[in-house]
Amino acid sequence: MKDDKLNLLILFGGVSSEHEVSRVSAASVLRHIDGEKYNITKVGITREGRWFATEASPEEIGEGSWEKHPGNAPAVILPDHSRTLIRGEGDRSTVDVVFPVLHGKNGEDGTMQGLLEIAGIPYVGSDSFASAACMDKAVTKAVVDQAQVCRQALCSVVHRGCDCTEAAGVIDDFFDGTYPLFVKPAAAGSSVGISKVTSADGLPEALETAFREDDKALVEEFIDGREIEVAVLGNRDPVASCIGEIFTAGEFYDYSAKYENAESRTDIVRNLPPEKEAEIRATAVAIYEIMGCRGLARVDFFLMRDGTLVFNEINTIPGFTNISMYPQLWQESGIGYGELIDKLIELAQER
């Protein structure tokens, strides 16, 4: 009897500071996906960059013990348009679609997308160019600024190799001695490597922290406003979800506040005038289209007390953990987690 199920490859882990988040996201996807619809193959990428096909459970993947699973076998995707995954000693299978549940570098920055494009395999999410552009916050800012669709925080870009002490003086002058400032890597996610700086004395150390994650650092003015997020879904005719808000337990929404502090929380925004809500959702879609995104993205803003909307960043592979905003927003908007996964796979095939 012919098997009409799609052969779906789920990639997780990766050589990234967001390795753990990727594992937890993948475990959540596996718990919610309809296994009757797909032939699912799981391939984990270790922190060292080794690929293994695994039969590990979602629980083992989430906690990291999957790497010791006795059934693991080395895996590789052939880059020759045969859509072939090789496992172990030559066991070959065809891949119809890849869901790269990979956050951060080597997964969200266009590198994995480029490999899959060379291999001719449809995949969930934006193409290599849009992924790379969105991952680099400096590039994103330049593109969005050119389009003039939304205000952004005043920003200075600093490159690795500079004298951090000298750069601190230049930055202090640029912002007229106004603090606090935020220093962040240009290309890192989950708020890794971000520092809040309250005086010029803290800038050199903050720059060094950012440079441990990337060759470029952004220094941005502090925006006093509500942190809100919108999920966008689609290819040529994308749609926006309802609006979510972040309530951080820390000084700002860094990695610890997101994933380690149980007092941080998110909620659905229900107290905005309809016209403001429409503006925010329309701006999210506009930025999505300007950046050339496909499939999915989460667009993050600040909403100031006077009603001014300030664009913060866009994430092309947002978190899929049980506390992540992207699936929560679509759940609230009428698309359940399992249905959302199905739609993302359909969009990958469509593109």
Side-chain angles (χ1 to χ4, degrees), residues 51-306:
W51 292 40
F52 292 99
T54 185
E55 296 300 322
S57 68
E59 291 70 28
E60 290 170 317
I61 290 170
E63 68 188 20
S65 61
W66 76 272
E67 292 189 27
K68 297 180 181 179
H69 195 281
N72 287 357
V76 63
I77 291 175
L78 292 183
D80 66 356
H81 272 232
S82 64
R83 298 188 177 186
T84 299
L85 175 75
I86 300 180
R87 292 174 285 194
E89 300 298 322
D91 177 19
R92 293 171 175 246
S93 60
T94 300
V95 179
D96 295 318
V97 180
V98 173
F99 193 157
V101 192
L102 296 164
H103 307 309
K105 289 191 174 182
N106 302 300
E108 191 177 354
D109 59 358
T111 50
M112 183 61 69
Q113 290 74 15
L115 170 62
L116 297 174
E117 287 163 16
I118 291 171
I121 305 175
Y123 57 88
V124 170
S126 294
D127 66 17
S128 56
F129 181 82
S131 297
C134 291
M135 185 70 180
D136 190 319
K137 297 177 180 67
V139 172
T140 302
K141 279 185 167 291
V143 175
V144 174
D145 186 61
Q146 184 68 29
Q148 298 183 335
V149 294
C150 189
R151 182 188 158 182
Q152 301 183 76
L154 182 64
C155 172
S156 177
V157 179
V158 186
H159 293 263
R160 189 205 299 270
C162 69
D163 182 306
C164 290
T165 302
E166 290 183 5
V170 174
I171 293 166
D172 187 66
D173 289 341
F174 180 81
F175 288 98
D176 293 325
T178 301
Y179 293 87
L181 299 173
F182 284 91
V183 181
K184 59 181 73 173
S190 292
S191 301
V192 175
I194 295 183
S195 303
K196 182 179 181 180
V197 179
T198 57
S199 71
D201 292 340
L203 284 169
E205 182 179 353
L207 289 170
E208 290 169 2
T209 298
F211 289 144
R212 284 196 285 271
E213 301 296 330
D214 193 56
D215 289 338
K216 286 189 294 186
L218 275 67
V219 185
E220 293 182 338
E221 67 171 319
F222 168 66
I223 300 295
D224 186 9
R226 300 166 65 178
E227 294 190 51
I228 59 174
E229 301 182 343
V230 179
V232 182
L233 178 70
N235 288 338
R236 295 292 179 183
D237 298 300
V239 293
S241 70
C242 60
I243 302 167
E245 183 169 4
I246 295 166
F247 299 90
T248 180
E251 275 199 276
F252 62 97
Y253 206 45
D254 61 0
Y255 185 95
S256 175
K258 282 184 180 180
Y259 300 112
E260 299 170 352
N261 194 327
E263 294 185 11
S264 292
R265 63 183 179 88
T266 59
D267 203 354
I268 304 301
V269 175
R270 307 182 193 278
N271 59 355
L272 292 177
E275 61 272 16
K276 177 56 68 173
E277 183 172 339
E279 174 197 340
I280 294 168
R281 297 175 68 212
T283 304
V285 170
I287 291 171
Y288 184 92
E289 293 182 314
I290 288 163
M291 297 304 299
C293 295
R294 296 290 184 270
L296 76 161
R298 193 194 68 235
V299 187
D300 302 347
F301 300 96
F302 295 106
L303 182 61
M304 300 176 70
R305 287 183 173 84
D306 65 0

